[in-house]
Amino acid sequence: MTRMFLSGNEAFAEGIRLARPNVISAYPITPQTTVVEALAKMVEDGKLASEYMHVESEHTALSAAIGASATGARTFTATSSQGLLYMAECLTYASGGRFPIVMMNANRALALPWNIYGDQRDSLSLLDHGWIQVYAKDNQEALDLALMAYAVGEDARVSLPVMVNMDGFALTHTYEAVDVPDQAQADAFLPPYVTQNRFDFTNPKNIGYSAGPEYNRFYQVAHHEAMLAVRDVVAEVEARFAKTFGREYPGLVEAYMTDDADFVMVTLGSVSGIARDVVDDLRRAGKKAGLVRIRYLRPLPQEEIAEALKPAKAFGVLEKDVSFGATGAVYAGVQASLASSGRALPSLGFVGGLGGDDISRHQVEDAFASLEALSLGKAPAACGHQVGDVVFLNVAGEVA
């Protein structure tokens, strides 16, 4: 194990190096670019034995990864924002073909207006494309997820692609001290990829076939069952990871101070760091606040979310996304999770950080104050611009 000072992108690239992908298909896009640049240098320097393909577009990058995975190769690609949308046609080919590609997505705002900074509208707009989606909170988790994503996606019970999401610039370009495992440790944790879902001249298979109404539904049911199997596989993979590397992860969600919480904030990604600090301050002041960080949004951890919110009298969701004319995608998922458990709670959906806007500590404190008021049966204080069921932080009064 070596301690290094790395950006989120560099840390993720180290994790991919340790996973020994056979094929890397790369097309640069801000703020993902330094991931594939770092991997290119590793290949050039002989630190990574991999076929590195510099292709002409994001669509081609994922198409190439699909083709490589269909030969039985462990594959990697990366993207962001409009690049992810350009890949959208290929996403369902990868998931429907049951190819366990790992892709890093640097979360970034969608155009228009054109913007290179980080929110989560890119990945959250594609939740229904059949990929496992997991969100890192810091650079250490990003590196570790690079390894665990292969272990989860390649498991025979799953065999699905994995999208590892990192907040653009907030993580991708921010430096932290990271523990980088030795290659021997990584090899012990993640053996070479072996699959029967591949082209094989001695045992031919039909890959990329058509299925009409008579049979199509069976493939969709099997896909859904595989996604639900991720819950158990993640638990097993994280237990092996802890045994190998000494770092533990909490599964699909991370619940913090929720056992007796009166009001709880649900978050996704790096903003959970500020939210956790605010929870600590509120606890010191004698107020029963709690936090739920969703790590895996697909599969949706309905049981875990409902259990974490069980003691609460009110909850809120703070996310960097809005589904125009509805709510945030995360808020909708949390509401569905509660409904599945037969409960309803007073709640607020907070949206911040759009286009990379700063989510300040003061905004998070105000959002928690609103939740505290809800938990006491009082009207929440105004802490932004409410439109329907969405409270936009850092927006006051009428929007021009």
Side-chain angles (χ1 to χ4, degrees):
M1 193 84 69
T2 304
R3 176 64 61 92
M4 300 178 70
F5 191 57
L6 301 173
S7 70
N9 278 349
E10 291 170 344
F12 197 86
E14 288 291 333
I16 295 299
R17 175 184 64 79
L18 292 168
R20 298 186 187 268
N22 305 113
V23 177
I24 299 167
S25 52
Y27 188 81
I29 181 172
T30 303
Q32 165 268 115
T33 303
T34 52
V35 172
V36 293
E37 285 181 343
L39 289 169
K41 190 173 189 306
M42 292 173 187
V43 172
E44 182 69 19
D45 292 345
K47 296 179 180 178
L48 173 59
S50 182
E51 184 70 28
Y52 189 95
M53 303 172 63
H54 185 192
V55 298
E56 74 273 16
S57 74
E58 292 90 355
H59 188 283
T60 307
L62 188 49
S63 297
I66 291 169
S69 188
T71 70
R74 178 174 287 162
T75 61
F76 173 74
T77 190
T79 192
S80 179
S81 185
Q82 305 300 130
L84 179 60
L85 296 193
Y86 192 21
M87 288 178 168
E89 179 189 18
C90 301
L91 292 176
T92 53
Y93 278 84
S95 60
R98 309 298 293 273
F99 300 125
I101 299 158
V102 169
M103 176 165 67
M104 178 270 196
N105 178 57
N107 283 120
R108 169 185 148 184
L110 299 175
L112 286 171
W114 190 254
N115 185 297
I116 65 167
Y117 297 99
D119 63 34
Q120 295 167 338
R121 287 182 55 222
D122 51 1
S123 57
L124 293 178
S125 70
L126 297 168
L127 285 171
D128 296 334
H129 281 56
W131 285 57
I132 299 165
Q133 282 205 23
V134 56
Y135 291 75
K137 74 170 181 179
D138 56 31
N139 297 356
Q140 184 69 66
E141 186 173 35
L143 185 152
D144 295 344
L145 282 172
L147 283 167
M148 287 190 283
Y150 282 110
V152 172
E154 292 176 357
D155 189 284
R157 291 165 289 178
V158 176
S159 194
L160 288 172
V162 184
M163 186 188 303
V164 182
N165 295 284
M166 296 172 58
D167 287 329
F169 292 103
L171 290 186
T172 61
H173 286 64
T174 299
Y175 281 76
E176 294 178 338
V178 175
D179 289 326
V180 180
D182 299 331
Q183 187 65 63
Q185 287 180 297
D187 291 344
F189 171 76
L190 185 68
Y193 177 43
V194 177
T195 180
Q196 299 302 311
N197 184 33
R198 58 186 291 269
F199 293 119
D200 187 340
F201 291 117
T202 60
N203 184 23
K205 291 181 174 62
N206 190 349
I207 295 178
Y209 41 78
S210 296
E214 186 177 1
Y215 298 106
N216 192 282
R217 62 188 180 276
F218 296 107
Y219 292 96
Q220 312 314 321
V221 170
H223 192 151
H224 186 58
E225 289 173 342
M227 185 65 79
L228 294 180
V230 170
R231 174 182 284 107
D232 290 338
V233 174
V234 165
E236 293 171 16
V237 166
E238 290 184 352
R240 286 199 299 110
F241 190 91
K243 186 175 181 180
T244 305
F245 302 106
R247 285 190 294 278
E248 296 185 358
Y249 286 96
L252 304 188
V253 303
E254 179 183 14
Y256 182 67
M257 297 286 187
T258 59
D259 289 346
D260 64 343
D262 290 332
F263 52 101
V264 176
M265 188 71 78
V266 182
T267 65
L268 189 72
S270 62
V271 72
S272 62
I274 298 175
R276 187 176 178 126
D277 288 345
V278 172
V279 167
D280 288 340
D281 288 347
L282 290 170
R283 286 284 177 166
R284 282 189 284 268
K287 299 182 178 184
K288 293 182 177 180
L291 173 70
V292 173
R293 177 174 72 97
I294 298 177
R295 298 180 66 238
Y296 286 79
L297 198 55
R298 285 296 181 271
L300 179 64
Q302 290 185 314
E303 295 175 12
E304 292 84 351
I305 291 171
E307 181 64 25
L309 294 178
K310 201 170 184 178
K313 300 173 183 176
F315 78 89
V317 175
L318 174 55
E319 59 186 300
K320 300 178 180 181
D321 163 77
V322 60
S323 181
F324 301 117
T327 63
V330 184
Y331 184 76
V334 175
Q335 290 282 28
S337 301
L338 274 180
S340 70
S341 69
R343 296 184 67 214
L345 285 175
S347 61
L348 287 169
F350 302 101
V351 171
L354 297 180
D357 187 27
D358 183 43
I359 298 179
S360 70
R361 188 187 186 93
H362 178 69
Q363 290 170 6
V364 177
E365 290 169 347
D366 284 351
F368 269 105
S370 294
L371 295 184
E372 182 183 18
L374 271 185
S375 72
L376 296 171
K378 301 177 182 178
C383 59
H385 181 64
Q386 185 158 356
V387 183
D389 292 328
V390 178
V391 179
F392 291 92
L393 300 180
N394 205 24
V395 178
E398 294 297 322
V399 179

